[in-house]
Amino acid sequence: MELAGSSNFLPTRLLDVGNPETGVQVRLVLTDTFSETERRQKDSSKYMALSYCWGSAEESRRLLKTTHSTIQERLRAIKFSTMPLAVQDAVTVARTLKIQYIWIDSLCIIQDDTEDWQIESSRMGDIFSNAYLTVVAAVGSSCHDSFLYREPNQLSCDVNVQSQVFGIDDGQFSLRSRRRRGTEKMSEIFDSKWISRGWTFQEERLARRVLMFGKNKFFLDCRTIERAEDTEYYTLRPDWVGSVCGIPAEENRAIRASKYSQMRSTGDHWQTLCSHYSYRELTFAADKLPAISGIASKFSEKLGGTYLAGLWKDYLMHDLFWYSAHPTIRPQNYRAPSWSWASVD
């Protein structure tokens, strides 16, 4: 699951996860203070990103944030105990995997600065597509829920395991129920808050590698395959991954040799993603297009045409055939032309 090549891109700010063994605390760092030598070093240019849900308005108010009044304090140190559980878990994962830096929106974007939010949100595509690993907290309803905690499995029993290396050892045999329909991953996250949110859509799909935590197990995805924690089997990623991640046409089975076929296939992938995205919810209606702009940027590299409020000029005749499968409403404030799928909720 390794990727060829690496990028020296770094977000404006990152969290240094510190070292509990030496007493070094988590702190916010400004990446423009890194020297060129540090940027070229593998450990300095490698960071993890967290995809999660803030929660309700009340839960969001209790979330630890970086603001103009707290940024100097964040640059000095952030006490682990003050972080919400999902952020604590993310730091724990980063430390365990020996990834020194992590990007978390609530702490790496100045939350009371509209200009900073606009700048950083416009870079979401780069932030998640360049992260060494994206951790998805797909369990829990808010940032105050742990995604590493698991309910004890009730259908289990202790067994003795015979090993040629360790001899007789204690083990545990357990049974897990599976849904009859849908994929194994979807059966773990189908009712999660994370899968219903608009911004999390592109965070997962732009990622180079995804470590997703569900109710009972975790999943690891890369550009080509998906694997679950409890099996040696794997499944291939959907064809649209090639269009988002920039996999060459000759390596993507969905794309034929001709330029027209490549464009048509990529356009079909865009429509598929927009269809999936349209089911997501947004706190602010105006975020409909910004929350998918990172994916649009990746598609522009393939299609090369003009982007028109969720549609592509060179593929307009095809894109205009969208329709609503369910009753829709138009937001009070103008968001997109009436001929765009982004004009309705």
Side-chain angles (χ1 to χ4, degrees):
M1 287 193 174
E2 285 300 312
L3 292 171
S6 61
S7 170
N8 289 327
F9 169 87
L10 286 174
T12 305
R13 306 173 193 91
L14 288 168
L15 291 181
D16 185 327
V17 299
N19 188 335
E21 295 179 1
T22 60
V24 178
Q25 295 190 73
V26 179
R27 67 186 181 94
L28 187 69
V29 295
L30 306 177
T31 59
D32 62 4
T33 63
F34 290 0
S35 66
E36 285 301 316
T37 302
E38 288 177 313
R39 283 176 172 268
R40 285 193 294 268
Q41 290 175 348
K42 184 177 180 181
D43 290 342
S44 293
S45 61
K46 185 167 72 174
Y47 66 93
M48 194 174 91
L50 176 64
S51 177
Y52 68 118
C53 292
W54 284 25
S56 65
E58 175 58 31
E59 290 167 323
S60 298
R61 278 193 290 271
R62 294 189 287 115
L63 173 60
L64 190 70
K65 304 182 184 74
T66 293
T67 61
H68 279 293
S69 62
T70 63
I71 188 168
Q72 294 304 317
E73 179 185 349
R74 304 282 183 261
L75 290 169
R76 288 191 294 271
I78 303 174
K79 290 184 178 180
F80 187 81
S81 60
T82 65
M83 301 175 185
L85 291 177
V87 176
Q88 289 184 13
D89 285 352
V91 170
T92 298
V93 171
R95 287 172 171 174
T96 302
L97 297 178
K98 299 189 184 305
I99 300 175
Q100 194 61 38
Y101 300 102
I102 183 171
W103 188 90
I104 301 175
D105 60 355
S106 60
L107 292 167
C108 295
I109 299 176
I110 303 175
Q111 296 299 317
D112 59 353
D113 188 323
T114 302
E115 182 180 358
D116 189 68
W117 186 90
Q118 290 175 342
I119 293 172
E120 297 304 311
S121 64
S122 70
R123 304 178 77 198
M124 288 293 188
D126 291 327
I127 290 170
F128 281 90
S129 62
N130 284 285
Y132 179 81
L133 175 71
T134 294
V135 167
V136 172
V139 63
S141 60
S142 78
C143 59
H144 301 286
D145 296 323
S146 169
F147 61 82
L148 293 181
Y149 174 78
R150 292 182 182 177
E151 293 287 346
N153 195 320
Q154 301 300 319
L155 301 175
S156 64
C157 62
D158 294 330
V159 296
N160 289 326
V161 178
Q162 181 71 43
S163 169
Q164 293 179 352
V165 178
F166 302 106
I168 296 179
D169 200 359
D170 292 333
Q172 192 176 70
F173 180 80
S174 62
L175 298 176
R176 292 177 180 171
S177 60
R178 291 187 174 184
R179 285 161 53 89
R180 293 184 177 181
R181 297 181 179 179
T183 64
E184 186 67 14
K185 183 190 294 184
M186 285 304 299
S187 70
E188 285 282 312
I189 66 173
F190 77 99
D191 59 349
S192 72
K193 189 69 173 176
W194 176 88
I195 203 173
S196 70
R197 304 306 300 163
W199 280 99
T200 62
F201 182 84
Q202 69 172 1
E203 292 171 1
E204 180 211 2
R205 283 156 180 78
L206 289 170
R208 301 198 292 176
R209 303 175 186 86
V210 173
L211 184 60
M212 179 181 291
F213 289 86
K215 289 181 180 178
N216 302 297
K217 66 181 76 173
F218 61 78
F219 302 85
L220 180 62
D221 302 346
C222 66
R223 287 178 172 176
T224 54
I225 64 173
E226 303 176 357
R227 295 193 67 166
E229 168 189 350
D230 59 351
T231 178
E232 295 180 355
Y233 296 103
Y234 63 85
T235 57
L236 296 176
R237 298 299 310 280
D239 288 333
W240 54 257
V241 175
S243 296
V244 176
C245 297
I247 297 175
E250 59 272 15
E251 298 179 21
N252 191 340
R253 295 176 306 166
I255 299 177
R256 298 180 177 85
S258 71
K259 183 176 181 181
Y260 173 77
S261 295
Q262 178 179 346
M263 177 180 172
R264 181 183 177 92
S265 182
T266 303
D268 288 343
H269 295 163
W270 172 255
Q271 287 197 338
T272 297
L273 289 171
C274 288
S275 177
H276 294 169
Y277 172 68
S278 65
Y279 288 95
R280 299 294 185 104
E281 301 171 358
L282 292 160
T283 302
F284 302 103
D287 289 347
K288 188 85 167 186
L289 289 172
I292 200 174
S293 62
I295 294 179
S297 177
K298 295 298 180 182
F299 269 81
S300 69
E301 298 172 6
K302 285 251 182 179
L303 294 173
T306 303
Y307 182 60
L308 302 170
L311 289 74
W312 297 95
K313 183 178 180 181
D314 293 342
Y315 212 45
L316 199 57
M317 185 174 66
H318 187 66
D319 283 353
L320 283 172
F321 278 94
W322 66 271
Y323 64 93
S324 299
H326 304 284
T328 60
I329 59 171
R330 294 192 185 276
Q332 290 184 342
N333 297 323
Y334 175 84
R335 184 173 64 199
S338 60
W339 41 260
S340 169
W341 57 266
S343 65
V344 297
D345 291 321

